[in-house]
Amino acid sequence: SPPPPVIANFTADPTEGISPLEVTFTNTSENATQARWDFGDDSCSEEWSPIHTYTNPPLKHYTVTLIVWNDQGDSDTLTCTNLIKIFRPAHSDFNAMSIAGRPDDDVQFINHCGGLVNSFTWDYGDGIQEIFRSDVRYAVHPIHTYQDSGSYEVTLTASGQGGSDTLSLEDYIFIHDDYCELQLIDSSETEAGFGWSNVIDHDVLSDRSSMRAPNSLDVLATFMFADSSVKKLHTVRFKCNDAHKRQPQNNLARRFEVLTSEDGDHFRRCVAGYLNENERWETYRFEPVTTKYIKLNFRSARKRKSPYITMCEFQVCASPLPPERETIELVNISGREAKGDLLHKDFRMFQNYPNPFNPTTTINCYLPDEGVAELKIYDIRGSIVYSLSQTVDSAGLHAFKWTGSDHNGQPVRSGIYIYRLIFNTQDGTTYSDSGRMVLLK
């Protein structure tokens, strides 16, 4: 009978890991007496069941070939393609879909870890940690909800066969009750794909996460609140650089000023200064400023040493205006008790009371018919501080109450103020009178 055939076969353990990786090859070939191994890394062996160590750089796949034969010269070959896989050690990396928001907003984190990872440990900076195995799909990109306002440091630790790697991003997630979305209105020239919209997209880690503009005398951008409302701006935050893609320091925006405007035409400086050149967030807080439009003006600290200037991220916090209410209130007091010269049947405006006052005073008047009453209050320079126009449904004694605030609800300064009442009756008759009052704080 013919001799049994030679059959090549083997096992390997382990077949994947980080360098240096020691692999035990067990020859399970049949009817063979000799063997030759090719480990795929330019190394060979003629041992029957060798132990081989792979020391080459990571991210390699190796094909192993075993040739066996017997004394009669019969042979067989077994080739296992990409059998041995060498990975780099665990490497931690992540970002978030949005790095700013309000309490109870969900934040979607994106896991960019690499290497041979067995588990992920997330620390969201608010006292909550989560540990996930690498084979749990939903753990790759977790969603976390921040309950309270604050700046949160987020840490991700990737653990694997070769140890662990940790990435911590300080002040990475910003949660605030008054955080506001911005909309770009106008800007100076920028490089294609690196416009000003990048600095308000809450993304500091993408390939195009920053603004890049020619390093001219001024680099400008004008924004408005995304809901087109007027708010009270009180905080601005800047990030010049980021921990992942550091820009050369001579490219970074350094000198800055923030200007505000309610009408988009007349801007006032709100805050100005110098920014640091590291990847930390810088926060500037100031007295609330009523505004609808925000203008940024940047300059590089190193004049003309770089052809362009960069900025990574910009955020603002602004509170809504108080609920609309009349700073001046007109009340019909005809049915109430009236004494002295308040008992009058013709048009008449009386001296405010109390006077001086702080902060509320009352201006009584007698209106002889139905019509429209308009009260205007001026400061000593003649500028209108506040005005109210209101329909009067019946003749009688009325009272204007002023709370000492302007059109924006802001308290006015101490000083002398002029009040003027104009009353137009339904038949076209016009009455008017003026008086002085003093606000003392």
Side-chain angles (χ1 to χ4, degrees):
S1 62
V6 174
I7 300 175
N9 199 8
F10 69 90
T11 61
D13 185 50
T15 58
E16 61 182 35
I18 63 171
S19 179
L21 178 65
E22 184 179 88
V23 180
T24 299
F25 292 95
T26 302
N27 193 335
T28 59
S29 301
E30 299 178 17
N31 307 314
T33 57
Q34 298 183 64
R36 178 176 176 83
W37 297 84
D38 184 340
F39 300 115
D41 61 349
D42 298 328
S43 299
C44 298
S45 174
E46 294 185 354
E47 296 182 28
W48 184 256
S49 294
I51 296 176
H52 181 68
T53 301
Y54 289 87
T55 59
N56 286 354
L59 304 180
K60 287 280 190 177
H61 293 177
Y62 296 97
T63 297
V64 179
T65 300
L66 171 62
I67 303 174
V68 294
W69 63 91
N70 59 19
D71 295 338
Q72 288 74 37
D74 299 326
S75 66
D76 189 30
T77 300
L78 174 62
T79 298
C80 294
T81 304
N82 295 332
L83 175 64
I84 305 300
K85 301 176 178 65
I86 306 298
F87 299 98
R88 64 180 179 178
H91 172 69
S92 181
D93 192 11
F94 71 92
N95 69 338
M97 296 296 291
S98 178
I99 60 173
R102 296 171 178 267
D104 296 327
D105 283 353
D106 290 338
V107 178
Q108 171 80 66
F109 291 96
I110 306 300
N111 188 331
H112 298 291
C113 291
L116 195 58
V117 181
N118 298 326
S119 65
F120 306 100
T121 301
W122 289 89
D123 186 334
Y124 301 111
D126 58 353
I128 297 178
Q129 291 186 347
E130 290 185 292
I131 302 176
F132 303 110
R133 301 190 312 274
S134 61
D135 59 347
V136 179
R137 293 187 62 187
Y138 72 85
V140 175
H141 308 304
I143 298 176
H144 184 67
T145 302
Y146 288 90
Q147 304 291 336
D148 302 316
S149 296
S151 296
Y152 296 96
E153 177 179 5
V154 181
T155 301
L156 174 58
T157 300
S159 302
Q161 179 180 344
S164 61
D165 184 51
T166 299
L167 173 64
S168 294
L169 298 181
E170 186 177 359
D171 292 337
Y172 184 59
I173 301 297
F174 179 66
I175 304 295
H176 199 286
D177 289 318
D178 290 339
Y179 168 75
C180 296
E181 298 276 355
L182 294 177
Q183 177 182 343
L184 179 64
I185 300 299
D186 191 20
S187 70
S188 56
E189 178 187 358
T190 60
E191 185 175 327
F194 292 87
W196 278 96
S197 58
N198 289 347
V199 306
I200 57 173
D201 63 359
H202 324 308
D203 177 10
V204 296
L205 297 181
S206 68
D207 291 336
R208 294 190 172 184
S209 61
S210 60
M211 178 279 301
R212 183 182 297 174
N215 192 3
S216 58
L217 182 63
D218 291 296
V219 180
L220 302 171
T222 303
F223 305 93
M224 67 182 296
F225 295 114
D227 60 3
S228 302
S229 66
V230 178
K231 301 180 185 293
K232 290 188 174 298
L233 179 69
H234 56 77
T235 303
V236 295
R237 303 178 77 232
F238 299 94
K239 188 178 180 67
C240 278
N241 220 329
D242 64 75
H244 286 62
K245 298 179 176 64
R246 289 187 59 87
Q247 299 286 343
Q249 290 188 350
N250 61 332
N251 295 344
L252 300 179
R254 290 297 312 280
R255 295 175 57 189
F256 79 93
E257 62 177 354
V258 178
L259 302 99
T260 60
S261 171
E262 291 187 56
D263 58 12
D265 294 324
H266 305 88
F267 284 86
R268 297 187 306 175
R269 177 186 288 183
C270 176
V271 62
Y274 285 84
L275 300 174
N276 292 325
E277 297 175 336
N278 54 38
E279 63 272 12
R280 291 177 177 270
W281 281 96
E282 294 187 60
T283 301
Y284 294 82
R285 297 180 176 87
F286 40 84
E287 289 296 320
V289 178
T290 301
T291 186
K292 181 178 181 180
Y293 301 92
I294 301 171
K295 180 181 289 187
L296 294 184
N297 184 353
F298 284 117
R299 296 185 185 182
S300 174
R302 294 169 170 81
K303 296 181 179 179
R304 311 264 179 205
K305 286 190 176 182
S306 171
Y308 60 88
I309 183 173
T310 62
M311 164 57 59
C312 184
E313 198 75 13
F314 175 60
Q315 297 172 352
V316 302
C317 289
S319 57
L321 295 179
E324 290 189 5
R325 61 180 180 87
E326 294 295 349
T327 301
I328 303 174
E329 180 183 9
L330 177 61
V331 180
N332 190 328
I333 58 175
S334 297
R336 304 179 187 177
E337 180 181 0
K339 297 181 180 180
D341 59 0
L342 291 184
L343 296 175
H344 206 276
K345 298 302 181 182
D346 296 323
F347 171 83
R348 185 173 181 183
M349 184 182 70
F350 303 93
Q351 180 67 43
N352 67 297
Y353 181 85
N355 189 42
F357 65 96
N358 180 27
T360 302
T361 190
T362 299
I363 303 168
N364 292 305
C365 60
Y366 186 88
L367 304 179
D369 198 353
E370 299 177 2
V372 177
E374 182 178 18
L375 181 69
K376 294 184 179 181
I377 296 179
Y378 303 83
D379 61 21
I380 196 64
R381 296 172 298 179
S383 299
I384 295 180
V385 175
Y386 198 90
S387 63
L388 171 69
S389 180
Q390 186 166 322
T391 299
V392 178
D393 296 329
S394 60
L397 194 61
H398 295 75
F400 289 92
K401 292 184 179 180
W402 184 42
T403 61
S405 300
D406 60 17
H407 282 285
N408 297 319
Q410 294 295 306
V412 299
R413 297 179 179 179
S414 298
I416 298 175
Y417 291 88
I418 309 298
Y419 57 96
R420 178 174 177 79
L421 175 61
I422 302 173
F423 179 61
N424 295 300
T425 65
Q426 288 186 337
D427 62 9
T429 304
T430 300
Y431 302 94
S432 65
D433 198 1
S434 302
R436 281 193 174 197
M437 55 186 172
V438 178
L439 172 61
L440 290 180
K441 296 185 178 181

